[in-house]
Amino acid sequence: MMINSTQKESLQEEKTLLLLAISFFTRIPVRLPAEITPVQLNKASRYFALVGLLVGFICSLVYMVSVEYLPKEIAVLIAMAASLLVTGAFHEDGWADVWDGFGGGWSIEQKLNIMKDSRLGTYGAAALFIILLLKFQSLMALASPVVAFILANTLSRVVATSLIYDMSYVALDATSKVKPLAQHLSNMSLFMLLLTGLLVSLWLLSLGECILLFVILFLFRALLAFWFNRQLGGYTGDCLGAAQQSSEIVIYLILLI
C-alpha cells in the first residue's frame, strides 16, 4: 500500500513527538528538529507511557544479565542504578523537591520557592532514602522483578501524566529550574496514554489482576490530585515526578499483595 505525502508527514510528526518524549525523560541521545513548538511539547505527552516501557525494558535487561553472575540483591541494585542513569534521576528529584516544599513551606509561594531551590533539604533527603529503600525491598520480595520493572515504569507514568488532563498547572516564575513538559493533555493523547498502559497490563497480567490494579491506581490518582490541590491548588513538574515515584511503589506493593 502506497503512503501519500500527508501520511508521511503525519508519521514523521509522530516520530518527532516520540523522540521528544524520550529526550525529555531520559538521557538517551536523540536527534530532534532545530525548533520545537509548544503544541508539540503538549502532544508528546501521549508517548510518556512508552518512555516508561522503554525504561522498564532496560531495567529488566540489566537485571537479567546481572543476576546470572551476581546475587539477586546486587542485581536489583544495579538495575535500580541503571534506571537512575537512564532517566537522570529526573522523577526522584521531583519527589524530593515536593517533600521539601510541602514539608518546609507554609504558604503556596513558600512551597514553590523551596521546591525550585536546587539544594536538598532534610524532608527531601529522608523521602528519597525511604522511597529508594522501599523500591529495593519490594523488588527483593518479588520472585522475579522483571515483570514489575516493566509494568511499574509504564503505568506509573500513565498515572502521573494523566494528572495534566484535569488539573491546573501552577505557574512558576522565570527562575524556576524545572518546568513540566506539558501543560495540556488532549483527549486523543489521554486515550493513547491509557491504551498503552492497558495493552502492557494485559500482556503481563490476567484480566482480574488488571481490573484490581486499575481500581487501586484510580483511587491513588484521586488521592494524589487531592493532595496536590490542597497543597498548591494544582500541579507542577515536581508534582508529576512525585506522582510517578509514588505510583511506582504502589504498583510494586500491589504485585506483592
Side-chain angles (χ1 to χ4, degrees):
M1 184 177 65
M2 297 295 293
I3 300 177
N4 59 41
S5 59
T6 301
Q7 291 173 322
K8 286 183 179 179
E9 289 178 3
S10 178
L11 289 173
Q12 183 59 42
E13 173 68 7
E14 293 303 316
K15 177 184 176 182
T16 299
L17 296 178
L18 175 58
L19 292 177
L20 179 56
I22 292 173
S23 71
F24 190 82
F25 281 117
T26 75
R27 294 297 180 90
I28 299 173
V30 297
R31 180 173 297 180
L32 291 169
E35 184 177 349
I36 297 296
T37 67
V39 174
Q40 288 175 310
L41 295 178
N42 285 316
K43 284 184 177 180
S45 58
R46 66 186 60 177
Y47 292 118
F48 289 175
L50 273 180
V51 175
L53 180 61
L54 173 62
V55 174
F57 271 127
I58 292 173
C59 292
S60 296
L61 180 60
V62 169
Y63 171 79
M64 287 188 292
V65 173
S66 300
V67 82
E68 289 294 321
Y69 306 98
L70 298 167
K72 182 179 179 181
E73 295 90 340
I74 305 299
V76 168
L77 283 174
I78 292 175
M80 289 175 60
S83 173
L84 294 174
L85 288 173
V86 169
T87 63
F90 187 78
H91 304 296
E92 287 81 1
D93 179 70
W95 167 262
D97 285 343
V98 161
W99 281 102
D100 271 337
F102 291 6
W106 292 97
S107 66
I108 292 178
E109 183 179 2
Q110 285 178 328
K111 292 172 185 177
L112 293 175
N113 285 332
I114 293 172
M115 288 165 67
K116 67 188 181 185
D117 192 328
S118 60
R119 293 170 295 183
L120 182 63
T122 304
Y123 282 107
L128 195 56
F129 173 79
I130 290 296
I131 202 162
L132 289 175
L133 185 60
L134 272 174
K135 284 185 186 182
F136 175 74
Q137 294 287 9
S138 299
L139 291 166
M140 281 298 301
L142 292 166
S144 174
V146 172
V147 169
F149 276 128
I150 297 172
L151 191 67
N153 276 285
T154 303
L155 292 185
S156 62
R157 285 163 176 81
V158 173
V159 173
T161 308
S162 71
L163 293 172
I164 301 172
Y165 183 74
D166 56 1
M167 289 189 68
S168 300
Y169 169 60
V170 182
L172 305 181
D173 62 29
T175 63
S176 174
K177 65 182 177 72
V178 176
K179 291 185 179 180
L181 174 62
Q183 299 177 26
H184 173 72
L185 192 67
S186 68
N187 291 332
M188 176 57 69
S189 292
L190 178 65
F191 172 76
M192 292 181 65
L193 188 76
L194 295 175
L195 180 62
T196 303
L198 177 62
L199 291 177
V200 171
S201 300
L202 290 173
W203 170 46
L204 297 172
L205 302 174
S206 68
L207 180 59
E209 290 170 331
C210 286
I211 293 173
L212 176 62
L213 180 61
F214 291 159
V215 169
I216 295 175
L217 287 179
F218 178 80
L219 294 175
F220 184 69
R221 180 193 181 278
L223 182 62
L224 286 171
F226 173 79
W227 186 37
F228 296 149
N229 279 322
R230 187 174 180 83
Q231 293 286 336
L232 298 177
Y235 75 93
T236 67
D238 286 331
C239 291
L240 298 184
Q244 187 278 321
Q245 287 290 290
S246 55
S247 298
E248 184 178 338
I249 288 296
V250 167
I251 293 167
Y252 292 148
L253 296 180
I254 294 171
L255 291 177
L256 281 174
I257 295 172

